Amino acid sequence: MSETAPRPSSLIHTVYGEYVRRLGGWISIADLIALMAELDVDAQAVRSAISRLKKGGTLLQERHAGTGYRLAPAMDPVFEEGDRRIFHSLEPAELADGWVVAVFSVPESERAHRHQLRSRLSWLGFGNAAPGVWLAPARLLPDARRLLERLGLSAYVHLFLSAEYAGFAELPTAVASWWDLPAIEAQYAAFTDAWRPVAEELRGQERTDPVEAFRDYVPMLTEWRRLPYLDPGLPEPLLPADWNAVPARAVFTELHERLAEPSLRYVEKVTGLSHS
């Protein structure tokens, strides 16, 4: 398991994304506190994190059988995009698919938007080829369009689809200057080191205890869900020969298949909610 514990707000984000959305979208604060206690997060830390998430527009307070919170409607596309990146973008892109290129120009009077564009394109997995020029595998175009439109930044950006690179540097050399591949590898290595032992231990067990599944799955998924954004899924010919995303993805897939359903059963038991 990771030596650095995820923040309570990140764990709560995972609980909502993985479970609460499937169980009607609302959870009582009492049940959330009970779930978070299994992750060694105390009630005060939960309430503080919920307050920040509410203030930031992520959660809305609602009363049902008690006080609780549901995701704000504006978060639906964010979590849907997350599902695609986290669970369905595990394989590298094909070189023949080409590239999406984002070119932007922001007036100096609106330089805050410039910073936002850089940070959000980087977060999506775009590499920086030159000032105001960012690119990524072509399959990231839909995510880029949705993000830029949602943030009100589309007026500053032109998007292009390019079929191939035409020179002058060798493409793998250029790619290595556009993305910080060693930093991405370090993140994958940390994930594999933390969670491969958990996967190996579970292989020797016939059944997975739902409580233990929840205790492992939520922090594992919280740590993993950052990685598909750091990694744009570059085509294999452009990656180092020993690209360590491959074993990391294998560990994630194994743990997801082993822990997702039993951990959901535990959440259903605690909350009394069920998914259709």
Side-chain angles (χ1 to χ4, degrees):
M1 198 172 294
S2 177
E3 295 180 3
T4 304
R7 294 179 301 171
S9 58
S10 295
L11 294 169
I12 291 171
H13 189 283
T14 298
V15 168
Y16 269 87
E18 180 66 9
Y19 307 112
V20 178
R21 285 191 303 154
R22 300 166 66 183
L23 301 175
W26 178 92
I27 187 173
S28 73
I29 186 64
D31 288 344
L32 183 60
I33 287 172
L35 290 172
M36 296 296 289
E38 295 295 342
L39 305 175
D40 298 321
V41 179
D42 64 34
Q44 182 56 47
V46 174
R47 293 184 186 278
S48 296
I50 287 290
S51 178
R52 290 192 296 272
L53 291 169
K54 179 183 175 184
K55 185 177 181 180
T58 299
L59 299 178
L60 299 176
Q61 184 173 327
E62 283 186 7
R63 287 192 62 85
H64 291 270
T67 300
Y69 294 85
R70 73 166 53 251
L71 283 170
M75 296 303 296
D76 289 343
V78 176
F79 277 88
E80 289 166 4
E81 176 188 291
D83 286 347
R84 288 191 295 272
R85 293 296 290 266
I86 294 165
F87 300 109
H88 304 297
S89 297
L90 297 179
E91 298 302 321
E94 295 292 331
L95 191 56
D97 294 341
W99 305 89
V100 54
V101 179
V103 179
F104 67 81
S105 178
V106 180
E108 183 62 25
S109 60
E110 301 178 57
R111 57 182 177 272
H113 291 314
R114 188 184 307 148
H115 172 74
Q116 190 178 18
L117 275 165
R118 289 171 181 157
S119 64
R120 301 312 286 177
L121 287 172
S122 178
W123 177 79
L124 268 182
F126 277 66
N128 187 201
V133 181
W134 295 70
L135 78 164
R139 67 183 182 186
L140 293 188
L141 174 60
D143 285 349
R145 290 186 63 90
R146 282 188 290 265
L147 179 72
L148 294 169
E149 290 171 351
R150 188 168 70 245
L151 297 178
L153 297 172
S154 57
Y156 302 100
V157 184
H158 297 285
L159 296 173
F160 302 87
L161 283 177
S162 172
E164 63 182 77
Y165 176 72
F168 291 93
E170 293 294 325
L171 184 53
T173 302
V175 161
S177 70
W178 298 336
W179 281 273
D180 189 347
L181 298 181
I184 297 172
E185 286 195 294
Q187 296 281 343
Y188 276 125
F191 179 87
T192 303
D193 290 346
W195 295 103
R196 179 182 279 155
V198 177
E200 291 173 346
E201 182 178 350
L202 288 171
R203 286 174 203 155
Q205 301 177 12
E206 291 187 11
R207 300 181 61 185
T208 304
D209 179 72
V211 181
E212 292 298 328
F214 178 81
R215 290 173 181 161
D216 283 335
Y217 188 60
V218 174
M220 185 280 293
L221 183 56
T222 301
E223 188 171 343
W224 173 263
R225 63 183 171 85
R226 298 177 299 110
L227 295 177
Y229 288 95
L230 296 174
D231 179 2
L234 294 167
E236 281 189 33
L238 306 181
L239 295 170
D242 57 350
W243 182 241
N244 62 5
V246 177
R249 290 182 185 126
V251 169
F252 168 74
T253 300
E254 182 176 354
L255 288 173
H256 171 67
E257 292 175 351
R258 182 72 185 251
L259 301 176
E261 284 306 312
S263 67
L264 176 61
R265 292 199 300 272
Y266 173 68
V267 174
E268 289 176 324
K269 179 181 178 181
V270 170
T271 62
L273 303 170
S274 61
H275 72 293
S276 56

